[in-house]
Amino acid sequence: MDVRKIYEDNNALLTGHFKLSSGKHSTNYLQSAKVLENPKVAQTLLSELAKQIKESGLEIDTVCSPAIGGLLAGYELARHLETRFIFTERVDGKMTLRRGFEVKEGEKVLICEDIITTGGSALEAAAEIEKRGAEVVGFSAIANRGLCKRSGSKLQAKEECKLPKDLPFFALGDFVFETYDPENCPMCKDGSEAIKPGSRGN
């Protein structure tokens, strides 16, 4: 599956000066909402991701996504895996499981995002789940920004990747874009101001 082409065809691979959730700056941004607004495209992507996960033999009881970015991807993935779906959300800046959602001791949970960059939000969701006694068995996303190593990829994890190395990470493709610390961003030095799309911006 050519994930890059799907993003391009849905005007979801943006070019400009962007501030990522990780705090880094980049000339490219993946706007997954533009891909997932089409249910047929969402079904195509997440059924393929579910197939990859099923082939791994990983046992999963529940899919959990951090809101807001991972909600559509996680729900559609859970549908194809035929599991329960729950989500965490930020309350006063802290990732929290609420709305009556509960997990059981030993319940096997897969964390699902739309995009994994460093994996910070996914790791926060995982910590909240594990605090309540469930077991996080892996991580997943439609696309990998290239900082973490996904199952089946030759790319090695970069130092910035926060995902645990002993758990599998499933994604449909790697998008390797140049990223910069704000103080070393050439676009900032040229006087351009970074914009913050996505769930924590516009």
Coordinates of all heavy atoms in Angstrom, one line a residue, residues 87-125:
F87 N -10.7 5.5 24.8 CA -9.7 6.5 24.6 C -9.4 7.3 25.9 O -10.1 7.3 26.8 CB -10.2 7.5 23.5 CG -11.5 8.2 23.8 CD1 -11.5 9.4 24.5 CD2 -12.7 7.7 23.3 CE1 -12.6 10.1 24.8 CE2 -13.9 8.4 23.6 CZ -13.8 9.6 24.3
T88 N -8.2 7.9 25.9 CA -7.7 8.8 26.9 C -7.8 10.2 26.4 O -7.8 10.4 25.2 CB -6.3 8.5 27.4 OG1 -5.4 8.6 26.3 CG2 -6.2 7.0 27.9
E89 N -7.9 11.1 27.3 CA -7.9 12.5 26.9 C -7.2 13.4 28.0 O -7.1 13.0 29.1 CB -9.4 13.0 26.7 CG -10.2 12.8 28.0 CD -11.7 13.0 27.7 OE1 -12.1 14.1 27.2 OE2 -12.5 12.0 27.9
R90 N -6.8 14.6 27.6 CA -6.1 15.4 28.5 C -7.1 16.2 29.4 O -8.0 16.8 28.9 CB -5.2 16.4 27.7 CG -4.1 15.8 27.0 CD -3.1 16.8 26.4 NE -2.1 16.1 25.6 CZ -1.0 15.4 26.1 NH1 -0.8 15.5 27.5 NH2 -0.2 14.8 25.4
V91 N -6.8 16.1 30.7 CA -7.5 16.9 31.7 C -6.5 17.7 32.4 O -5.6 17.1 33.1 CB -8.3 16.0 32.6 CG1 -9.0 16.9 33.7 CG2 -9.3 15.2 31.9
D92 N -6.5 19.0 32.3 CA -5.5 19.9 32.9 C -4.1 19.5 32.5 O -3.2 19.4 33.3 CB -5.6 19.9 34.4 CG -6.9 20.4 34.9 OD1 -7.5 21.4 34.3 OD2 -7.4 20.0 36.0
G93 N -4.0 19.1 31.2 CA -2.7 18.8 30.6 C -2.2 17.4 30.9 O -1.2 16.9 30.4
K94 N -3.0 16.6 31.6 CA -2.6 15.2 32.0 C -3.5 14.2 31.3 O -4.7 14.3 31.3 CB -2.7 15.0 33.5 CG -2.1 13.7 34.0 CD -2.1 13.8 35.5 CE -1.4 12.6 36.1 NZ -2.1 11.4 36.1
M95 N -2.9 13.2 30.6 CA -3.6 12.2 29.9 C -4.4 11.3 30.9 O -3.8 10.8 31.9 CB -2.7 11.3 29.1 CG -3.4 10.5 28.0 SD -4.1 11.6 26.7 CE -2.6 12.0 25.7
T96 N -5.7 11.2 30.7 CA -6.6 10.6 31.7 C -7.6 9.6 31.0 O -8.1 9.9 29.9 CB -7.3 11.6 32.5 OG1 -6.4 12.6 33.0 CG2 -8.2 11.0 33.6
L97 N -7.9 8.6 31.7 CA -9.0 7.7 31.3 C -10.3 8.1 32.0 O -10.3 8.0 33.3 CB -8.6 6.2 31.5 CG -9.6 5.1 30.9 CD1 -9.5 5.1 29.4 CD2 -9.2 3.8 31.5
R98 N -11.3 8.5 31.3 CA -12.5 8.9 32.0 C -13.8 8.5 31.2 O -13.7 7.5 30.5 CB -12.5 10.5 32.3 CG -12.2 11.3 31.0 CD -11.9 12.8 31.4 NE -13.0 13.5 32.0 CZ -13.7 14.4 31.4 NH1 -13.5 14.7 30.1 NH2 -14.7 15.0 32.0
R99 N -14.9 9.2 31.4 CA -16.2 8.9 30.7 C -16.7 7.5 31.0 O -17.3 6.9 30.2 CB -16.0 9.1 29.2 CG -15.6 10.5 28.8 CD -15.5 10.6 27.3 NE -14.9 11.9 27.0 CZ -15.6 13.1 26.8 NH1 -17.0 13.0 26.9 NH2 -15.0 14.2 26.5
G100 N -16.3 7.0 32.2 CA -16.8 5.6 32.6 C -15.9 4.5 32.0 O -16.2 3.3 32.3
F101 N -14.9 4.8 31.2 CA -14.1 3.7 30.7 C -13.3 3.1 31.8 O -12.8 3.8 32.7 CB -13.0 4.3 29.7 CG -13.7 4.7 28.4 CD1 -13.2 5.8 27.7 CD2 -14.6 3.9 27.8 CE1 -13.7 6.2 26.5 CE2 -15.2 4.3 26.5 CZ -14.7 5.4 25.9
E102 N -13.2 1.8 31.8 CA -12.4 1.0 32.8 C -11.6 -0.1 32.0 O -12.0 -0.5 30.9 CB -13.3 0.3 33.8 CG -14.0 1.3 34.7 CD -15.0 0.6 35.7 OE1 -15.1 -0.6 35.6 OE2 -15.6 1.3 36.5
V103 N -10.5 -0.5 32.6 CA -9.7 -1.6 32.1 C -9.5 -2.6 33.3 O -9.5 -2.2 34.5 CB -8.3 -1.2 31.6 CG1 -8.5 -0.5 30.3 CG2 -7.5 -0.4 32.6
K104 N -9.4 -3.9 32.9 CA -9.3 -4.9 33.9 C -7.8 -5.3 34.1 O -6.9 -5.1 33.3 CB -10.0 -6.2 33.5 CG -11.5 -5.9 33.4 CD -12.2 -7.2 32.8 CE -13.7 -7.0 32.6 NZ -14.4 -8.1 32.0
E105 N -7.5 -5.9 35.3 CA -6.2 -6.4 35.6 C -5.8 -7.4 34.5 O -6.5 -8.3 34.2 CB -6.1 -7.1 36.9 CG -4.8 -7.5 37.4 CD -4.0 -6.3 38.0 OE1 -4.7 -5.3 38.5 OE2 -2.8 -6.3 37.9
G106 N -4.6 -7.1 33.8 CA -4.1 -8.0 32.8 C -4.7 -7.9 31.4 O -4.4 -8.6 30.5
E107 N -5.7 -7.0 31.3 CA -6.3 -6.7 29.9 C -5.2 -6.3 29.0 O -4.4 -5.4 29.2 CB -7.4 -5.7 30.1 CG -8.2 -5.5 28.8 CD -9.4 -4.5 29.1 OE1 -9.7 -4.3 30.2 OE2 -10.0 -4.1 28.1
K108 N -5.2 -6.9 27.8 CA -4.2 -6.6 26.8 C -4.6 -5.5 25.9 O -5.6 -5.6 25.1 CB -3.8 -7.9 26.0 CG -3.3 -9.0 26.9 CD -2.9 -10.2 26.1 CE -2.5 -11.4 27.0 NZ -1.4 -11.0 27.8
V109 N -3.9 -4.4 25.9 CA -4.3 -3.1 25.2 C -3.2 -2.7 24.2 O -2.0 -2.7 24.4 CB -4.5 -2.0 26.2 CG1 -4.9 -0.7 25.5 CG2 -5.5 -2.4 27.3
L110 N -3.7 -2.4 23.0 CA -2.9 -1.9 21.9 C -3.2 -0.4 21.8 O -4.4 0.0 21.7 CB -3.3 -2.5 20.6 CG -2.5 -2.0 19.3 CD1 -1.1 -2.5 19.3 CD2 -3.2 -2.5 18.1
I111 N -2.2 0.4 21.9 CA -2.3 1.9 21.7 C -2.3 2.3 20.3 O -1.4 1.8 19.5 CB -1.2 2.6 22.5 CG1 -1.1 2.2 24.0 CG2 -1.4 4.1 22.4 CD1 -2.3 2.5 24.8
C112 N -3.2 3.1 19.8 CA -3.3 3.5 18.4 C -3.3 5.0 18.3 O -4.2 5.7 18.9 CB -4.5 2.8 17.7 SG -4.7 3.3 16.0
E113 N -2.5 5.5 17.4 CA -2.4 6.9 17.0 C -2.7 7.1 15.5 O -2.7 6.1 14.8 CB -1.0 7.5 17.4 CG -0.9 8.0 18.8 CD -1.4 9.4 18.9 OE1 -2.3 9.8 18.2 OE2 -0.8 10.1 19.8
D114 N -2.9 8.3 15.1 CA -2.9 8.5 13.6 C -1.5 8.5 13.1 O -1.1 7.9 12.1 CB -3.8 9.7 13.3 CG -3.3 11.0 14.0 OD1 -2.5 10.9 14.9 OD2 -3.7 12.1 13.5
I115 N -0.7 9.4 13.8 CA 0.7 9.5 13.4 C 1.6 9.3 14.7 O 1.2 9.8 15.7 CB 1.0 10.9 12.9 CG1 0.1 11.3 11.7 CG2 2.5 11.1 12.4 CD1 0.3 10.5 10.4
I116 N 2.7 8.6 14.5 CA 3.6 8.5 15.6 C 4.9 9.4 15.2 O 5.5 9.1 14.1 CB 4.1 7.1 15.9 CG1 2.9 6.3 16.6 CG2 5.3 7.1 16.8 CD1 2.7 6.6 18.0
T117 N 5.2 10.4 16.0 CA 6.4 11.1 15.7 C 7.5 10.6 16.7 O 8.2 9.7 16.4 CB 6.2 12.6 15.9 OG1 5.2 13.0 14.9 CG2 7.5 13.4 15.5
T118 N 7.5 11.1 17.9 CA 8.3 10.6 19.0 C 7.6 9.5 19.8 O 8.2 8.7 20.5 CB 8.8 11.7 20.0 OG1 7.6 12.2 20.6 CG2 9.5 12.8 19.2
G119 N 6.3 9.5 19.7 CA 5.5 8.6 20.5 C 5.1 9.1 21.9 O 4.6 8.3 22.7
G120 N 5.3 10.4 22.2 CA 5.1 10.9 23.5 C 3.7 10.8 24.0 O 3.4 10.3 25.1
S121 N 2.7 11.2 23.1 CA 1.3 11.1 23.5 C 0.9 9.6 23.7 O 0.1 9.3 24.6 CB 0.4 11.7 22.5 OG 0.6 13.1 22.4
A122 N 1.3 8.7 22.8 CA 1.0 7.3 22.9 C 1.6 6.7 24.2 O 0.9 5.9 24.9 CB 1.6 6.6 21.7
L123 N 2.8 7.2 24.6 CA 3.4 6.7 25.8 C 2.6 7.2 27.1 O 2.5 6.5 28.1 CB 4.8 7.1 25.9 CG 5.8 6.3 26.7 CD1 5.8 4.8 26.2 CD2 7.2 6.8 26.7
E124 N 2.1 8.4 27.0 CA 1.3 9.0 28.1 C 0.0 8.1 28.3 O -0.4 7.8 29.4 CB 0.9 10.4 27.8 CG 2.1 11.4 28.0 CD 1.6 12.8 27.7 OE1 0.8 13.3 28.5 OE2 2.1 13.4 26.7
A125 N -0.6 7.8 27.1 CA -1.8 7.0 27.2 C -1.5 5.6 27.8 O -2.3 5.0 28.6 CB -2.4 6.8 25.8

